[in-house]
Amino acid sequence: MPKKLKHLNVHAFLLSFPQILWVLILPSQIVSAQKNTTIPVNVGVVLDMDTWIGKMGLSCISMALSDFYSSHSDYKTRIVLNSRDSKKDVVGAAAAALDLLKNTEVQAIMGPVSSVQAEFINDLGDKAHVPIISFSATSTFLSPLSSPYFIRATQNDSSQVKAISSIVKAFGWREVVPIYVDNQLGEGILPFLTDAFDKINTRIPYRSVIPSLATDEQIVAELHKLMTIQTRVFIVHLLPSLGSRLFAKAKQLGMMAAGYAWICTDAITDELNSIDPSIIDTMQGVLGVRPHVPNTAELQSFIKRWKLKFQHSNPDIVNPQLNVFGLWAYDSTTALAMAIEEAGVSNIGFDQMSDISGNTTDLESFGVSRNGPKLLQAMLGTAFQGLSGDFIIVDGQLESPVYDIVNVIGNGIKEIGFWTADKGIVRQINPITIKKLGTILWPGDTATPPKGWAIPKNGKKLRVGVPVNARFSQLVKVTRNSQTNTTMVEGYCIDIFDAVMALLPYAVPYEYVPFATSDGMSAGNYDDLAYQVYLGNFDAVAGDIAITANRSLYVDFSLAYTESGIAMIVPTDNQSRNTWIFLKPLTWDLWLTSFLAFIAIGLLIWVLEHRINDEFKGPPWHQIGMILWFSFSTMFFAHTSLTTSLTVQQLQPTIRSVDELIKTRAYVGYQNVSFLSKILLQMGFDESRLVAYHSPEELNDLFTKGSGNGGIAAVFDEIPYMKLILGTYCSKYTMVQAAYKTDGFGFAFPIGSPLAPDVSRAILNVTQGSQILEIEKKWHLETSSCQDFNTSSTPGSLDIGSFRGLFLIMGIVAISAFIIHWTMFLYEHWNVVTNYSSSTWDKIIGLSRCFDCKDAPSHTYRKPDMRGEKTTPGGDKEVSFRPHCSGSPVTISLQASPHTIVPSNPSFSSRMEHNLTISEEREILSCESESPNQEGNTPQ
C-alpha cells in the first residue's frame, strides 16, 4: 500500500473512532437511563421492633417488596421503606409517625402494631391525607368510617364472635364469663360478644377484667373470684404474653381440670405456634378460633424462604414460626405496591398548610399529601389472591374469612372443624359438610364435654328463698324456733323441690332462706320475692309462686309442677231437700211436651188395643183411666232413669258464669296478691267490687255474709288454692272453671341459669310418677270429692232440644201405626162405608159401634181346643154368615140332629166356631143388633 494511502486510512479511522465508541456505549447508557427512570415512593413503617410481631412483620414487608418487584420489573414505581421503632409506646408511635410525615413526607405508613397506637396515628393520617395500613390492629374501636384514611388489613375482633357463639350454642352452655384485657383490645369486643350471646339465650353473669400490666398476684386474685361462681365456661381475649401467664396460674389453681371449658379468641390462637412449649402444656384442652389460611404450595415455599432469611437476620431466635399477621403484612405490602403503581404516585411533596395566626404547633406544621386521595381509592379497590387467601378490602377493612376451630392437644394444636358465615360449624370445608366438630380433648384429659357450670367448692350453698305465708300452711310453712335460733321450712311446695333436687344427676347443696324481716314478718309480696333472684340475693325461689309474664322478664321459671288455671268458687244451692227436686233434670217445656207425648201414645195404644184387649174395654171413665195410667206408668216406671242426672245435679252452684257476676255487679273475692287483681280488672270487673281475703277462714266469713252485706258472691284464685278451700268446705262451695289460664306454680332461677333446664326435666319425672301422689296425699291436696262444674258444658236442666230426635222418631212411629190400624179397620168394614142408603152420620155411628165391638177373629179370643176341630161329612152342616161388624163371611159347620135347633142369628155359629163365652156372645149380638144392615134397617 502506498505510504500516503496508508496515512489517509489511519487518519480516517481516527476521525471515526468517537462515533464507533458512541455506538458501543449507547445501549448500556440507554439501559441505565431506563433503570434510573423508576420513581421512588417513600413509605413509612412504624412497628415495635423488639416484639415478635414487629420483627416478623418487618421481614415479611421486605420480602413482599423483593418478590413483587422481581416479578413486576416493568413497574415504574418503587417503594422505599423508612422504618421507625415505636418502642411499644403510644407516644413513641405518634412521634415516629409525625417524623415520617413532616420530615420524610411518606405517601403511606405501614403499622402500627397495637390498636391503641393506631388510634393516635390515624388522626395524623387523616390530617395529612396519608393512608395508614395496619395488619395487626384489630380493635373494634378503630373504624374506617370515622377514620377514612385508616385501612385495616387484618380482621376486626368482632368478626370472630359468631364463631365463638356457635361453639357455645353447639354444647348448650347457658352461661359464659369473658376474660379480657383492660384496654381497647378487650373492651372493644365485649359489646359484640354480649349481642351474640343474647341471640342464643346465653347469659354473661360476670365479666373478668385483667389489667394490661397485671402482676401474678392480681391474676391469681381474679382467678379465685372465678372459682367462687357457678359458671365454668370462659372466653379469653388477651394478648399472648398476658394469656400465657393466666393459663399458667389457672393450672396451678386446678382450673384446667375436668368440668372447665376455655375458648380463646384469635389474639392468642394466632400465636399458639410460637408460644413456649411449657405454656402449651398448661393449655391442654383449650379451644380456639383463628382465621383460616388455605394451605397452598406457594405458602409452603414462602414459609421455607422466610425461615431462612429470618434466622439469618435473627440468629438468637430458634425455630421461628410464621403466623397470619406475617402473611397479612406480606399481602398488605403487595396491595400497597399495586395501588401505588395504579395511582401513579410520585414524590412530588406535600402542600404546606399556612396558618395566619402563627399559632401552629409542631403537630400541625406538616402538610397534606397531594397523592393521598388517589392512593386511598386505589388501595380500597385492590383485590387479589394472596398468601393468606382472598385479599379483598371491603368498607376499609379485610373481608371476614372462614375461621378454624382448633384444640390444644399435646405439643401443638389440632383442627377440629371450621366456621363459615353461611353454614356455621362444619367438619370439613367441602360441598358435603357435616355440621359437627371432630373429637375434642377437654381439660382434665377427658372426651366428655363440660356441662358448663358447677357448684363452687368454697362451701357456699345455694340460697333458696321461700315466702313467709301463713294463709295456706299446706303449701309453705315457715316455723322459727327462737330458743335454738333455727328455722324449719316445710309444705307441699318444699317437698316437691326436695324431690326434684334429689333427682338431679349431681349433688347441689342448698339451704332455705325465708323472705322475711328481722321480726319474722314477710318482707314483701311475691313479685318482690322473685325480684330478689334478679338482684342476686337468692339463687332460686321455691314456694307457691305463680309463673307470670311479668316475672319472667327478670327470672327463668322451671316447668310448672301444679295444675294450671284460675278457677271460681261459689256457694252451692243444696237442693237435696227440695220438694220439687224431681222436676229439676228437665225444663218445664220438656216436661209439658213429654206429658202430651205420653198422653198421645196412651190414646194410640187404646186405639190399637181396644178391640182385642179387655183391659181397654168397659165404661168410658174406665177406659180414660187406663189411658192416663198407661201414660204415667211410662213416665215414672220406664227403664230410662234420671238417677244419674239427679245425683250430679244435687249440689248446684248459685252462680254459673263470670258474665253473671259482672252484670249483677256482685262483689267477688281474691287472694291478696297483685297479679290476681289485675286479671280480674282485665276480665271486666269493677275495682270497687273486688274484696281481698287473707285466709280460708276469712273467705268463709265473706261467703256467709253474702254479696251486698259486706260479703262476696264468688271468689277467684289459682286451682291449688281452690282445692285446699274445697277440702275444708266441701259441702258449702263448689268450683266452676273460669275462662282464664295461667301456667301454675314453678321454681324461679336467674335468667340463663343452667340449673333451670335440669330442674324442669326432674319435675317431669316427679309429676309423672307415683311420688307426686304421695306428696299430695300427705298435704291433703289429692283430688277432691267435691264435684267440679264447667259452665260451658254442663247445663242445669235438659231442654226439649236435647230430645228433638227422640220425639221425631216417636211421632213417625205413632202416626204410621195409627194410619195402618185405621186402614185395616176400614178395609174390614168397607160394607159399612159403601152402604149408600145410610147417611154419613149413620155410617159414623155404625163404624163407631163396630170399633167398640170385640174383634172376634182376633187371636185374643180364639180357644186352643176349638181351633183345630174338623167337620165330618155324615150329618155335618156348614153355616156361612157375615156379621154386620165383620168385613168377610164366617162359615160354621154344625152337626145335624133331629132335635137340633139352628139359631137364625149367625153370631151363634160364630160363637161356636170361636168358642165364645155367653157374655162375649151377648156383646157381639148387641153390636149386631145396633148396627145397620145393607138395607139400612136395624135387625131385631
Side-chain angles (χ1 to χ4, degrees), residues 850-891:
C850 289
F851 179 78
D852 193 46
C853 295
K854 289 183 178 180
D855 189 2
S858 172
H859 68 279
T860 307
Y861 301 111
R862 292 176 186 173
K863 301 300 180 179
D865 55 336
M866 295 296 294
R867 195 169 299 159
E869 183 178 2
K870 298 180 179 180
T871 60
T872 58
D876 294 345
K877 184 179 180 178
E878 292 184 352
V879 179
S880 178
F881 69 96
R882 180 186 301 270
H884 295 288
C885 294
S886 175
S888 60
V890 178
T891 302

Side-chain angles (χ1 to χ4, degrees), residues 213-223 242 245-246 249:
L213 301 177
T215 62
D216 289 348
E217 289 76 14
Q218 289 176 307
I219 294 176
V220 170
E222 187 62 29
L223 290 175
L242 191 56
R245 294 166 55 202
L246 175 78
K249 297 302 179 183

Side-chain angles (χ1 to χ4, degrees), residues 26-189:
L26 181 61
S28 62
Q29 288 180 338
I30 292 175
V31 173
S32 177
Q34 287 178 349
K35 290 184 178 180
N36 292 334
T37 57
T38 57
I39 303 173
V41 178
N42 287 321
V43 172
V45 179
V46 180
L47 300 173
D48 297 333
M49 298 302 179
D50 291 338
T51 63
W52 169 248
I53 292 184
K55 294 179 180 181
M56 177 185 60
L58 183 60
S59 65
C60 289
I61 290 173
S62 300
M63 290 186 66
L65 292 178
S66 176
D67 293 346
F68 181 79
Y69 288 123
S70 64
S71 59
H72 298 82
S73 58
D74 56 331
Y75 274 29
K76 296 180 180 180
T77 57
R78 295 291 186 275
I79 291 178
V80 178
L81 296 179
N82 298 268
S83 302
R84 298 290 187 274
D85 186 5
S86 55
K87 301 178 181 180
K88 296 185 288 188
D89 183 65
V90 175
V91 178
L98 182 62
D99 175 64
L100 292 172
L101 293 174
K102 181 178 180 181
N103 300 323
T104 310
E105 294 187 345
V106 295
Q107 301 299 312
I109 294 179
M110 302 288 294
V113 171
S114 71
S115 299
V116 180
Q117 294 172 343
E119 184 177 7
F120 284 87
I121 295 180
N122 286 348
D123 293 337
L124 299 177
D126 291 339
K127 186 176 181 61
H129 292 181
V130 172
I132 307 298
I133 307 168
S134 177
F135 55 85
S136 59
T138 60
S139 173
T140 59
F141 287 126
L142 301 175
S143 173
L145 298 177
S146 57
S147 301
Y149 280 86
F150 171 66
I151 298 175
R152 194 201 308 270
T154 182
Q155 290 301 317
N156 190 326
D157 281 338
S158 63
S159 63
Q160 61 186 318
V161 298
K162 291 184 178 179
I164 296 173
S165 65
S166 295
I167 297 175
V168 172
K169 181 180 180 180
F171 292 101
W173 294 324
R174 300 296 304 275
E175 286 187 353
V176 296
V177 172
I179 305 175
Y180 58 96
V181 64
D182 188 15
N183 59 20
Q184 285 190 355
L185 175 69
E187 295 173 355
I189 196 176

Side-chain angles (χ1 to χ4, degrees), residues 466-470 477-481 487 514-524:
V466 294
V468 179
N469 187 357
K477 182 179 181 181
V478 178
T479 305
R480 184 176 181 180
N481 192 327
T487 301
F515 183 51
T517 58
S518 57
D519 57 355
M521 301 301 294
S522 178

Side-chain angles (χ1 to χ4, degrees), residues 661-693:
L661 291 171
I662 297 175
K663 290 179 180 178
T664 59
R665 292 181 55 81
Y667 287 89
V668 297
Y670 69 96
Q671 193 179 171
N672 189 21
V673 290
S674 58
F675 84 95
L676 273 178
S677 61
K678 295 178 181 178
I679 290 176
L680 292 177
L681 292 176
Q682 293 174 1
M683 294 170 65
F685 285 99
D686 191 340
E687 187 173 5
S688 63
R689 300 290 167 172
L690 303 182
V691 180
Y693 76 94

Side-chain angles (χ1 to χ4, degrees), residues 288-343:
V289 297
R290 66 181 183 183
H292 175 68
V293 176
N295 189 12
T296 61
E298 183 183 3
L299 174 63
Q300 295 301 322
S301 174
F302 173 76
I303 291 176
K304 293 179 181 179
R305 292 189 297 110
W306 174 83
K307 280 188 175 182
L308 292 174
K309 180 178 179 180
F310 188 84
Q311 286 184 328
H312 184 269
S313 303
N314 302 275
D316 55 329
I317 299 178
V318 181
N319 191 24
Q321 296 293 326
L322 183 67
N323 62 31
V324 71
F325 291 111
L327 300 180
W328 283 331
Y330 184 97
D331 289 342
S332 60
T333 303
T334 302
L336 178 61
M338 296 170 62
I340 288 176
E341 180 69 20
E342 180 183 348

Side-chain angles (χ1 to χ4, degrees), residues 838-849:
S838 300
S839 65
T840 302
W841 180 250
D842 290 338
K843 293 179 181 180
I844 293 175
I845 294 175
L847 289 175
S848 301
R849 290 175 176 173

